[in-house]
């Protein structure tokens, strides 16, 4: 049956033990664990397990921690640009992704999440060709360890100097292409909503590749969109993520219809984890506000999930 989980990245200063204790008390059933090598690259990343140096002791301690709190470890989260234009940085990302896959194998974690990404100095066609060159090796590496690589359909517009898509996995057209490379989907309805795609209508056609899902909402401002247009602000004032007409919210405070989403997931046999991804600017800034946002998300989603 579907489980309700949460992504740990919104609490980068907390230990994994502290998050697990809080999550269990709050009623969550699973954790999607952030495994960046460190923090500070951008908001909403965290280093909650040292996957680059993961030996038998770390395996034993992690398994004991999740067993103690009665939680599942649904996936690892390392969302970086696998097509980064800097070859040195790209190799760092590839190496750490392999570490995450190795640690997932050791713990029996079925999924490692990342982005396709984009080299923003090149056109889309060149990026697709490059992805077709580099991803099969990573997919094979994961498959040999009984791990699937899952890709979140985030647009990552802040990675592009002009605010265009920085992660070539944002639409069903691109999903069909990446499925051909052996990749799976960490499905997130918030991104689909702001780019004009009805998220509910994307569930049935792709349910066999939606193995994990993220619960994030989005609040749209049509008045501001009338000023800036769909592509957002031309002058972002130094913040590449400020589109000017939408913002992420916790589930229940935006435009996503969670009753329809969860119902459709059930209808088509989804049995994975629906994982709250908290990037809500209203309920951020300190631990109390962040945990209040997670509590609100839980109160919104828990009544919709059987069990």
């Amino acid at each position: 049956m579907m489980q309700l989980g949460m992504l740990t990245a919104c609490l980068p200063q907390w230990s994994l033990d502290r998050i697990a204790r809080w999550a269990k008390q709050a009623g969550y059933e699973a954790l999607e664990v952030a495994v960046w090598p460190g923090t500070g690259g951008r908001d909403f990343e965290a280093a909650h397990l040292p996957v680059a140096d993961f030996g038998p002791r770390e395996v034993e301690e992690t398994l004991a921690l999740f067993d103690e709190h009665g939680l599942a470890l649904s996936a690892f989260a390392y969302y970086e640009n696998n097509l980064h234009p800097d070859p040195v940085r790209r190799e760092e990302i590839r190496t750490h992704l392999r570490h995450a896959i190795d640690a997932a194998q050791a713990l029996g974690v079925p999924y490692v999440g990342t982005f396709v990404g984009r080299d923003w100095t090149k056109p889309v066609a060149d990026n697709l060709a490059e992805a077709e060159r580099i991803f099969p090796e990573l997919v094979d590496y994961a498959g040999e360890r009984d791990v699937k690589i899952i890709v979140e359909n985030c647009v990552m517009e802040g990675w592009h100097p002009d605010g265009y898509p920085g992660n070539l996995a944002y639409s069903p057209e691109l999903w069909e292409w990446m499925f051909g490379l052996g990749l799976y989907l960490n499905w997130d309805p918030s991104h689909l909503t702001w780019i004009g795609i009805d998220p509910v209508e994307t569930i049935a056609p792709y349910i066999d590749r939606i193995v994990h899902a993220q619960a994030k909402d989005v609040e749209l401002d049509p008045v501001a969109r009338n000023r800036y247009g769909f592509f957002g602000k031309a002058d972002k004032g130094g913040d590449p993520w400020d589109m000017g007409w939408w913002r992420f919210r916790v589930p229940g405070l935006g435009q996503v219809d969670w009753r329809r989403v969860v119902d459709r997931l059930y209808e088509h046999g989804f049995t994975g984890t629906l994982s709250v991804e908290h990037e809500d600017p209203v309920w951020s800034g300190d631990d109390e506000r962040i945990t209040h946002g997670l509590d609100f998300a839980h109160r919104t989603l828990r009544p919709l999930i059987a069990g």
Side-chain angles (χ1 to χ4, degrees):
M1 296 295 288
M2 193 187 312
Q3 296 185 104
L4 181 58
M6 56 169 277
L7 173 58
T8 67
C10 60
L11 292 164
Q13 303 307 316
W14 285 25
S15 69
L16 186 57
D17 179 69
R18 184 180 179 187
I19 293 173
R21 289 179 187 276
W22 182 90
K24 182 62 175 180
Q25 184 179 23
Y28 284 100
E29 301 167 294
L31 296 181
E32 180 184 3
V33 176
V35 295
W36 275 262
T39 60
R42 66 176 190 272
D43 291 339
F44 304 110
E45 63 179 37
H48 284 135
L49 278 178
V51 295
D53 187 22
F54 210 71
R57 181 173 62 86
E58 287 77 17
V59 171
E60 182 179 354
E61 290 175 350
T62 304
L63 291 174
L65 171 66
F66 278 82
D67 183 62
E68 175 187 355
H69 298 297
L71 293 168
L73 204 172
S74 67
F76 283 159
Y78 177 57
Y79 288 95
E80 286 293 348
N81 187 355
N82 284 278
L83 297 177
H84 199 287
D86 180 346
V88 174
R89 178 63 183 135
R90 186 191 293 190
E91 181 60 23
E92 290 173 351
I93 292 166
R94 187 190 73 88
T95 298
H96 193 73
L97 182 59
R98 288 167 66 107
H99 288 321
I101 292 167
D102 291 340
Q105 178 192 26
L107 291 170
V109 176
Y111 310 119
V112 173
T114 191
F115 289 135
V116 171
R118 178 179 182 173
D119 179 347
W120 55 83
T121 70
K122 295 180 179 178
V124 170
D126 290 357
N127 275 271
L128 298 182
E130 181 65 4
E132 290 166 5
R133 185 184 71 81
I134 70 167
F135 269 101
E137 182 271 334
L138 289 168
V139 168
D140 287 347
Y141 187 87
E144 290 164 0
R145 290 155 179 79
D146 295 319
V147 175
K148 291 182 173 66
I149 298 176
I150 57 175
V151 173
E152 184 188 350
N153 55 287
C154 184
V155 181
M156 294 306 290
E157 67 286 346
W159 276 349
H160 193 286
D162 294 318
Y164 302 140
N167 173 39
L168 296 177
Y170 58 86
S171 68
E173 176 190 17
L174 289 163
W175 300 350
E176 293 169 3
W177 160 78
M178 74 178 191
F179 295 157
L181 303 181
L183 298 167
Y184 289 77
L185 190 61
N186 193 5
W187 181 87
D188 184 329
S190 65
H191 309 296
L192 294 165
T193 300
W194 81 259
I195 64 173
I197 295 173
D198 182 348
V200 174
E201 295 304 316
T202 70
I203 294 172
Y206 304 107
I207 193 64
D208 61 328
R209 288 281 169 163
I210 300 174
V211 295
H212 198 274
Q214 289 186 326
K216 187 163 74 265
D217 217 326
V218 62
E219 181 182 8
L220 310 180
D221 183 348
V223 174
R225 185 175 58 206
N226 285 341
R227 171 172 172 77
Y228 300 119
F230 173 84
F231 297 104
K233 290 182 177 180
D235 180 3
K236 293 181 171 58
D239 179 1
W241 304 99
D242 183 10
M243 298 293 281
W245 66 271
W246 61 266
R247 60 181 180 175
F248 292 128
R249 303 304 308 272
V250 292
L253 294 176
Q255 267 71 52
V256 175
D257 187 336
W258 292 101
R259 288 183 179 275
R260 291 180 65 226
V261 163
V262 174
D263 180 62
R264 194 64 57 88
L265 287 170
Y266 271 123
E267 179 184 357
H268 294 285
F270 178 76
T271 58
T273 297
L274 181 61
S275 179
V276 172
E277 184 183 18
H278 181 356
E279 296 185 1
D280 187 325
V282 177
W283 295 107
S284 295
D286 58 53
D287 292 351
E288 183 178 2
R289 295 183 72 82
I290 292 167
T291 54
H292 180 87
L294 290 167
D295 275 329
F296 189 94
H298 183 273
R299 291 195 301 271
T300 297
L301 296 170
R302 182 69 264 176
L304 305 177
I305 296 177

